């Protein structure tokens, strides 16, 4: 027997090849037992999902929450500009400069902090006293950032957040007391999508104004009381009164009455 005849035959590459090999063995006069099939590959059960451990707060932020719970505690308050220097001056030996800078950066980029800014809250000093109005552009950009984060949040139910965002932009714009042109100059940037949302909000704001003005003209022509007028058109008296007051303020602003508290125009 040659060395070649003693070497084992290679295993068939497929089921069809295995059947052909078995037939050849039978024709040779000796039936070969089929090899035991290899056991099916088993995949171990996937480990159950392990909940992510909560993020460990930055140690300096924990320290700040202990010192100033009214600013860094359960409720976040917008911080006055220059709070970094105020903290170093108040606690010269408590904080390492770079660590404090990093901690404040984490804090002011957090969603909870941005929500406070987006709400238009005033900036606060270390004593928790409001000392400075929030700049309109800071409110606007915080609104956009909170919207982006909510929109991209995993597992969030499908919801159109744009109408709420437009409403909040309108409210922030009116609270600023600026003209449309001045507000636009402050907040418009390079983000075309954000700029488009602003234009949509302005269009909705203009439509509301036109509706309120038309309602005021109809009310004045009717000679009715507010309750009678609202009942005539199937409207809520309270909502109708708010729209009429809005229209009166717009009219006063158009006439240049400085004593009128007017929506931004």
């Amino acid at each position: 027997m040659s060395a070649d005849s003693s070497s084992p035959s290679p295993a068939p590459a497929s089921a069809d090849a295995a059947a052909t090999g078995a037939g050849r063995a039978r024709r040779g006069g000796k039936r070969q037992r089929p090899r035991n099939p290899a056991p099916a590959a088993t995949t171990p059960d996937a480990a159950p999902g392990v909940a992510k451990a909560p993020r460990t707060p930055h140690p300096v932020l924990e320290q700040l929450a202990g010192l100033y719970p009214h600013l860094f505690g359960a409720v976040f308050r917008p911080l006055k500009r220059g709070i970094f220097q105020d903290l170093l001056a108040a606690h010269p030996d408590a904080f390492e400069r770079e660590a404090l800078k990093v901690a404040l950066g984490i804090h002011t980029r957090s969603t909870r902090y941005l929500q406070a800014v987006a709400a238009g809250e005033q900036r606060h000093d270390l004593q928790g006293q409001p000392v400075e109005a929030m700049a309109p552009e800071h409110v606007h950009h915080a609104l956009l950032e909170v919207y982006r984060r909510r929109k991209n949040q995993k597992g969030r139910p499908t919801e159109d957040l744009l109408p709420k965002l437009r409403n909040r932009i309108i409210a922030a714009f009116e609270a600023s007391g600026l003209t449309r042109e001045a507000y636009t100059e402050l907040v418009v940037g390079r983000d075309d999508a954000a700029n488009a949302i602003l234009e949509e909000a302005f269009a909705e704001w203009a439509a509301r104004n036109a509706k309120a003005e038309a309602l005021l003209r109809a009310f004045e022509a009717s000679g009715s009381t507010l309750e009678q007028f609202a009942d005539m058109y199937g409207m809520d008296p309270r909502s109708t009164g708010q729209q009429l007051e809005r229209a009166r303020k717009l009219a006063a602003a158009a006439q240049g009455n400085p004593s009128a508290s007017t929506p931004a125009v």
Side-chain angles (χ1 to χ4, degrees), residues 156-173:
R156 183 179 181 85
T158 302
E159 178 186 2
D160 187 2
L161 300 174
L162 270 176
K164 292 181 180 179
L165 175 61
R166 288 194 295 265
N167 283 335
R168 295 195 67 184
I169 288 175
I170 291 171
F173 163 55

Side-chain angles (χ1 to χ4, degrees), residues 60-77:
V60 173
L61 288 178
E62 290 187 316
Q63 192 176 357
L64 288 170
L67 290 169
Y68 302 101
H70 49 280
L71 297 177
F72 299 90
V75 177
F76 287 2
R77 299 291 185 198

Side-chain angles (χ1 to χ4, degrees), residues 164-229:
K164 292 181 180 179
L165 175 61
R166 288 194 295 265
N167 283 335
R168 295 195 67 184
I169 288 175
I170 291 171
F173 163 55
E174 292 184 341
S176 73
L178 297 171
T179 64
R180 174 172 175 168
E181 292 73 18
Y183 188 86
T184 300
E185 186 176 351
L186 276 178
V187 305
V188 164
R190 298 179 180 178
D191 187 335
D192 292 338
N195 296 339
I197 292 172
L198 175 63
E199 287 304 313
E200 291 170 3
F202 277 141
E204 187 171 327
W205 167 79
R208 289 182 189 179
N209 290 349
K211 182 178 179 180
E213 290 167 348
L215 190 70
L216 179 60
R217 289 193 296 270
F219 172 70
E220 291 176 342
S222 71
S224 304
T225 65
L226 173 61
E227 289 72 18
Q228 291 170 338
F229 181 78

Side-chain angles (χ1 to χ4, degrees), residues 76-220:
F76 287 2
R77 299 291 185 198
L79 304 172
K80 72 179 283 285
R81 284 179 280 195
I83 202 79
F84 174 71
Q85 288 80 8
D86 293 350
L87 284 166
L88 289 177
H91 308 278
D93 301 321
F95 300 112
E96 194 275 324
R97 186 181 184 89
E98 285 304 313
L100 178 61
K101 186 182 294 184
V102 169
L104 288 176
I106 294 171
H107 180 74
T108 55
R109 288 192 298 270
S110 69
T111 300
R112 286 174 61 196
Y113 184 87
L114 290 173
Q115 286 171 335
V117 175
E121 293 186 28
Q122 289 184 293
R123 294 183 179 275
H124 293 66
D125 62 13
L126 291 180
Q127 288 69 46
Q129 298 301 313
V131 294
E132 181 184 0
M134 186 63 66
E137 61 269 30
H138 296 166
V139 175
H140 183 82
H141 294 308
L143 282 169
L144 290 172
E145 182 58 27
V146 171
Y147 162 75
R148 291 188 190 102
R149 294 184 185 187
R150 287 180 174 172
K151 181 182 177 183
N152 297 328
Q153 187 176 354
K154 292 182 179 179
R156 183 179 181 85
T158 302
E159 178 186 2
D160 187 2
L161 300 174
L162 270 176
K164 292 181 180 179
L165 175 61
R166 288 194 295 265
N167 283 335
R168 295 195 67 184
I169 288 175
I170 291 171
F173 163 55
E174 292 184 341
S176 73
L178 297 171
T179 64
R180 174 172 175 168
E181 292 73 18
Y183 188 86
T184 300
E185 186 176 351
L186 276 178
V187 305
V188 164
R190 298 179 180 178
D191 187 335
D192 292 338
N195 296 339
I197 292 172
L198 175 63
E199 287 304 313
E200 291 170 3
F202 277 141
E204 187 171 327
W205 167 79
R208 289 182 189 179
N209 290 349
K211 182 178 179 180
E213 290 167 348
L215 190 70
L216 179 60
R217 289 193 296 270
F219 172 70
E220 291 176 342

